[in-house]
Amino acid sequence: MSNIQKTGVLLLLLLAVTSCKNKDNYTAYFGGEISNPRSEYVIFSKGNKIIDTIPLKENNRFFIKFDSLTPGLYTFRHDPEYQYVYFDKNDSIMVFADSKDFDQSVVFSGRGERKNNFMMELYLTNEKDREATYDFYGLEYRDFQRKIDSAYALRNAFYKQKKDIINWSEGFDFYAKSRLNFNHYTKKEYYPYLYARRNGKEIASKLPAGYYSHRSTIDFNDPKLTDFSPFARYITAMMNNMAITRAQKKADNVQENTLRDNITKLKIADSLFTNEKIKNQVLNNIAFSYLLEDQNIINNQQFLERYMELSTDNSNDNSIHKIANAIKSLKKGNELPEIPLVHPDNKPFDIDDDIKKQSVVFFWTSCAHSHLEMVYMKINELKKQFPDVDFIAINVDESKEWKKVMSQYKFKGAIQLRAANFEELKDKWVITKINRTIILNPDGSIKNAFTNLMNPDFAAELK
């Protein structure tokens, strides 16, 4: 669809709202079209709180009127993708997106379009900039600083130009300036430990005084930043930097110690954040990432003891407590927790009864075609080495999308299954990364519940 056609579609949708503006209240409208949809709805949220689930109707369009919508930053999600949208008072915003290339295709129209299109343009520019910056981290300090300052100057000029033209609100400017600055600050935090990793020597002690002066300009306890991804990315980079550079001062090496560094991150978060909600969320993010990377049971216990001491999040839906309990149930020799699985013809598959050989369980999604193709190349290699091993592919898409992809591909070498309830699969088997792989013994018991089919030494685990 051309840009002109996209604009035409959005303008047609706007006809429903242009006569309904009421500047005396906080009425707002949101709608649009999702091309090549992967599900039947769009989720509209504020932070982690879902405000509404909006169904896709004729021609994959959606529309909702809010009788009262507080100005601020919101997200719209069409799983697995999401983006931000900022509403000022009485905005009527339409969005076009194509799920096949979600971020690149997002176009806003209507009252409030210009500021949101600017934010998308800045986001896409930062994404390209991040890829280009990858090679900078091995440079000596002056060259590194010169390159990132040059990039920042260009982005800042673009920001100032658009701000003058659009004349957006102070509320929106907070997020626009934050996206601009946190992208720059994150590079500065990455540099010391990525330089050490690239070059095998530290540079942290050679950085000039004032290198981290940006930290003093950040209000780490501002609730407006809690759920803003550029802030979350910056916090992750900063705490990695602080933890690893502290470790370098104690020992003459640049190797990361996962348990040590993550416990250090917990301590940093505890001292840095006074806002209880923000602190708990950062502690949860640290714990979430760590528990999925290090599956050493002893390490997990040490880490969780420290996490429990610092976190005040005792809610029933605390995901860290759930993950910790689930990981314990996935120890070597245990049986996998029961999950309803079905074949493409909807015939049930029972892990307990239908496993007769050593089996490799892996996962895939139609959202990652390159991953899917690489996985099957690897399976074809492994099948030649291990003809007595079964490979079980479990799809994590909605049923409609799964069957569509199954009709397009002629999969060979693996038993094709889908979980009837993905949320149950995710919770009980701790499936949060698509490259997660589970190896089962011939009796169905767990041999290794936390491995990766694409690891270079994976074949050794099947011997």
Side-chain angles (χ1 to χ4, degrees), residues 271-440:
S271 63
L272 187 63
F273 298 98
T274 56
N275 181 304
E276 187 171 311
K277 179 183 176 183
I278 296 177
K279 182 174 80 169
N280 282 335
Q281 185 158 322
V282 173
L283 291 174
N284 286 349
N285 288 343
I286 296 168
F288 187 78
S289 297
Y290 170 74
L291 290 171
L292 299 179
E293 294 296 338
D294 188 346
Q295 301 308 330
N296 180 296
I297 298 300
I298 296 175
N299 283 359
N300 281 342
Q301 289 175 344
Q302 292 181 46
F303 177 85
L304 286 168
E305 285 174 6
R306 190 61 176 136
Y307 165 82
M308 298 296 184
E309 290 173 5
L310 300 178
S311 174
T312 58
D313 182 4
N314 296 315
S315 60
N316 291 331
D317 59 351
N318 184 322
S319 59
I320 305 307
H321 291 231
K322 293 178 180 178
I323 290 172
N325 291 331
I327 287 173
K328 289 178 184 178
S329 71
L330 297 172
K331 291 189 295 186
K332 181 179 179 180
N334 285 3
E335 293 184 353
L336 276 174
E338 185 176 350
I339 297 290
L341 300 169
V342 294
H343 292 275
D345 60 1
N346 293 324
K347 180 182 177 182
F349 180 92
D350 191 313
I351 285 284
D352 292 334
D353 295 336
D354 295 341
I355 296 289
K356 306 298 181 185
K357 303 178 181 178
Q358 182 175 206
S359 300
V360 173
V361 181
F362 65 97
F363 305 86
W364 65 275
T365 172
S366 59
C367 301
H369 284 271
S370 58
H371 169 266
L372 178 60
E373 290 166 4
M374 287 191 296
V375 162
Y376 273 91
M377 286 177 62
K378 185 68 175 283
I379 286 174
N380 289 334
E381 295 174 8
L382 292 170
K383 287 291 285 185
K384 295 174 184 177
Q385 292 178 260
F386 305 98
D388 293 330
V389 173
D390 278 341
F391 292 84
I392 300 173
I394 298 181
N395 177 264
V396 298
D397 296 322
E398 291 197 4
S399 179
K400 182 176 71 173
E401 189 68 25
W402 177 47
K403 290 182 179 178
K404 184 170 74 173
V405 176
M406 291 292 293
S407 68
Q408 294 172 345
Y409 285 81
K410 300 299 180 183
F411 294 117
K412 295 181 179 179
I415 300 168
Q416 296 295 330
L417 302 173
R418 179 181 174 273
N421 185 328
F422 175 64
E423 288 301 314
E424 189 177 6
L425 172 77
K426 179 176 66 100
D427 292 342
K428 291 186 177 180
W429 291 7
V430 198
I431 306 301
T432 56
K433 294 186 177 182
I434 201 63
N435 57 5
R436 169 78 175 287
T437 307
I438 299 171
I439 303 176
L440 301 176

